[in-house]
Amino acid sequence: MSYDPPDAVRAFADSHRIEYPVLSDVGSQVIRELRILDQDLEAHQAVFGVPTRPEQLGVAYPMTFILDASGRVERKLVEENYRLRYGGDWLVQELLGEPASPPTLEARATGPLATVAGRFWIDSTTYFPYQRRSAQLELSIGPGWHVYGPVVPPGYTGLHVAVQSVPEGVRAGAPEWPPTSPFHIEGLDEEFAVYEGTIAIVVPLEFILPRGSGVARVEIRVTFQTCSATECLPPNAIELVLEVAEAPIP
């Protein structure tokens, strides 16, 4: 459903080969009835340095309504701004509860003494400007070793993920951490939460890049401290790099 007039909606649907019905809500009457009118559009546009034109007033928040087999709305996915949103492939994975497809573009790295190995991939080999994508970070921790989780007592180094890119503009959302396991060292008062074995971390990525930015070099830096039951290595890090191409205009 769009606030655009029927001719504009029809032209858009035809150009993108959309076969399902697309509704034209001229005057944003239904949008207002559903209470999804973006009344802060100017502020949301200003985040990207984009002025708001008068004809844009009336736009809705980008929303996806998930229906069950009977047609009843069972879930809503809401975006704050129409410029930055997830793609359709992420939506399918989210609804089906399936992980990202096996990677065709990935990076690998190994930490000191081979105690930690990392694998990093994104759910697509390309990106669109102002699109969210889902990155997968897999860490394999050597037998007999563990790394601290993201929350640690003072004086210890917790697992941390940072992202930077060339050109600048790719940023990471809050990682989805897997559950930790409790760990206690005899003689110490602190209680630790650690990871062992192989763990998977989901890192949302936002490609806040204008059209024409070209290949984005995305570097993910994973900082950690590896310990065994009797010793701890100094804090260290591994870096994994992917070059993600900009998708062509459909």
Side-chain angles (χ1 to χ4, degrees):
M1 180 177 63
S2 170
Y3 77 129
D4 293 308
D7 289 346
V9 171
R10 185 178 298 108
F12 178 85
D14 291 344
S15 66
H16 291 273
R17 300 182 180 89
I18 297 175
E19 299 179 354
Y20 52 80
V22 181
L23 306 181
S24 172
D25 180 25
V26 177
S28 303
Q29 297 181 25
V30 177
I31 288 173
R32 296 175 191 276
E33 291 176 3
L34 293 176
R35 299 181 180 179
I36 58 176
L37 177 71
D38 187 351
Q39 301 186 57
D40 298 310
L41 181 63
E42 292 188 11
H44 294 155
Q45 295 274 68
V47 171
F48 300 98
V50 179
T52 300
R53 302 189 305 272
E55 64 269 21
Q56 292 177 314
L57 298 176
V59 69
Y61 282 100
M63 299 185 67
T64 302
F65 293 86
I66 313 303
L67 310 182
D68 61 17
S70 66
R72 181 182 177 87
V73 176
E74 64 176 19
R75 185 178 175 191
K76 294 183 291 186
L77 301 177
V78 185
E79 301 280 6
E80 183 179 86
N81 190 287
Y82 77 89
R83 291 184 63 85
L84 180 63
R85 63 179 79 182
Y86 283 107
D89 49 358
W90 174 88
L91 179 61
V92 172
Q93 294 171 19
E94 177 75 7
L95 297 181
L96 297 180
E98 297 177 353
S101 301
T104 56
L105 180 68
E106 67 172 339
R108 294 175 180 264
T110 303
L113 303 180
T115 55
V116 174
R119 190 165 73 116
F120 169 53
W121 69 92
I122 301 176
D123 59 1
S124 175
T125 58
T126 61
Y127 73 92
F128 279 101
Y130 300 103
Q131 185 181 46
R132 289 195 187 97
R133 301 224 65 100
S134 180
Q136 308 286 326
L137 174 63
E138 183 181 275
L139 295 181
S140 298
I141 304 158
W145 297 92
H146 60 259
V147 299
Y148 295 122
V151 180
V152 292
Y156 297 87
T157 300
L159 189 61
H160 178 72
V161 175
V163 171
Q164 61 182 17
S165 67
V166 179
E168 294 183 358
V170 181
R171 67 186 187 189
E176 298 178 18
W177 302 104
T180 55
S181 299
F183 186 82
H184 180 75
I185 300 176
E186 188 175 353
L188 295 181
D189 294 332
E190 292 96 343
E191 294 292 335
F192 300 97
V194 303
Y195 292 122
E196 298 175 304
T198 298
I199 62 172
I201 304 165
V202 178
V203 184
L205 293 181
E206 298 178 347
F207 285 81
I208 306 177
L209 298 170
R211 172 60 68 184
S213 295
V215 174
R217 186 179 187 272
V218 182
E219 176 184 298
I220 186 166
R221 180 179 175 86
V222 186
T223 305
F224 56 89
Q225 186 169 16
T226 314
C227 298
S228 69
T230 57
E231 65 176 318
C232 278
L233 301 179
N236 214 303
I238 56 175
E239 296 180 352
L240 304 101
V241 178
L242 286 179
E243 293 190 347
V244 188
E246 180 180 358
I249 298 176

